[in-house]
Amino acid sequence: MIRHAALLALMATAAQAEAPVSGYAFMQPETQALQDDAFANPGMLWVDLGRELWNRPEASGDSCAGCHGGPETLRGVGARYPAWSATEGRVVSLEQQINLCREGRQQAVPLPYGSRELLALSALVMHQSLGLPQAVATDGPAAEAYVRGRDYFETRRGQLNLSCANCHVEQAGSRLRGETISQGQVNGFPIYRQLWQDIGSAGRMIAWCNEAVRATQLEEGSPMAVELELYLRARGNGLAIESPAVRR
């Protein structure tokens, strides 16, 4: 039993040492083609909506464009989120940063997590970094948040007593109900998921995975969900941003 546990630990360590692989590589060719076609990719509908919202003035008269100009000025920004916010004293997700800008700069009401409008704006911002390497910082004040996210990733939970690592490290590449288990990389988020027929954030996917193992869900935007996203993005640092990716 001890030997078996040691072997599993060794396998997990070896798997973690492997280079990160995007979920794109685990998709069927038809799904890959759908993502690659900017005209057919359903997620681009949210990018287009995000562009409309970007240019729309709020009650204060200010718009995103009023401060930043075109969204292309934010190329590379989305690739760095979640990130430590000195003003907030915590790690914030891209969606939270958008709301902080809305409240602080536009005197606008924050958009609800998971709302079509917030997802559209985050998809627009992330899309500006398409093809750039994911580059989330985990040093300095973000280090403790990274460790908490990693610990959550490696902790078993739920009625099925599974951790994120049990599936996405130890079983990556294996088959489950006709699907190939990916590494759980999040470089494509926000993604359009065919199962949902909708776009979703990394936080929504985290909640879905917890539901799948019959565990208590993490609320989108909660501190633990954001810290887990920090860890997930950091473990995929170097992967090209694909948002809006298409996943099964």
Side-chain angles (χ1 to χ4, degrees), residues 76-245:
V77 171
R80 300 195 293 269
Y81 275 86
W84 177 262
S85 169
T87 56
E88 296 297 308
R90 58 185 172 88
V91 169
V92 299
S93 67
L94 177 60
E95 289 82 4
Q96 289 171 333
Q97 183 59 52
I98 289 170
N99 271 333
L100 287 170
C101 285
R102 284 178 57 81
E103 290 181 275
R105 304 284 185 178
Q106 299 173 301
Q107 288 78 58
V109 176
L111 296 167
Y113 236 93
S115 66
R116 182 177 178 85
E117 292 79 8
L118 185 56
L119 284 165
L121 283 168
S122 61
L124 174 69
V125 174
M126 287 300 299
H127 187 62
Q128 305 314 303
S129 297
L130 186 68
L132 293 181
Q134 193 162 261
V136 172
T138 60
D139 57 351
E144 292 184 6
Y146 171 84
V147 170
R148 287 191 293 268
R150 182 198 63 196
D151 290 347
Y152 188 94
F153 183 85
E154 296 175 350
T155 299
R156 292 177 181 268
R157 64 184 53 80
Q159 292 180 344
L160 298 186
N161 194 34
L162 291 172
S163 70
C164 309
N166 289 144
C167 287
H168 296 297
V169 176
E170 296 168 16
Q171 297 299 324
S174 300
R175 302 284 287 180
L176 177 64
R177 297 177 181 173
E179 299 290 337
T180 304
I181 301 174
S182 75
Q183 289 184 350
Q185 300 292 347
V186 294
N187 56 303
F189 283 83
I191 63 167
Y192 181 87
R193 194 172 186 209
Q194 293 169 316
L195 178 65
W196 297 335
Q197 293 289 288
D198 194 8
I199 202 168
S201 68
R204 180 175 178 179
M205 193 69 197
I206 289 167
W208 184 89
C209 284
N210 272 330
E211 182 180 6
V213 299
R214 301 171 192 169
T216 301
Q217 293 187 23
L218 288 177
E219 183 180 354
E220 285 188 76
S222 65
M224 189 69 256
V226 174
E227 291 176 351
L228 176 56
E229 183 183 350
L230 173 72
Y231 173 73
L232 293 174
R233 288 195 180 272
R235 72 188 284 265
N237 270 351
L239 289 176
I241 297 296
E242 299 176 15
S243 185

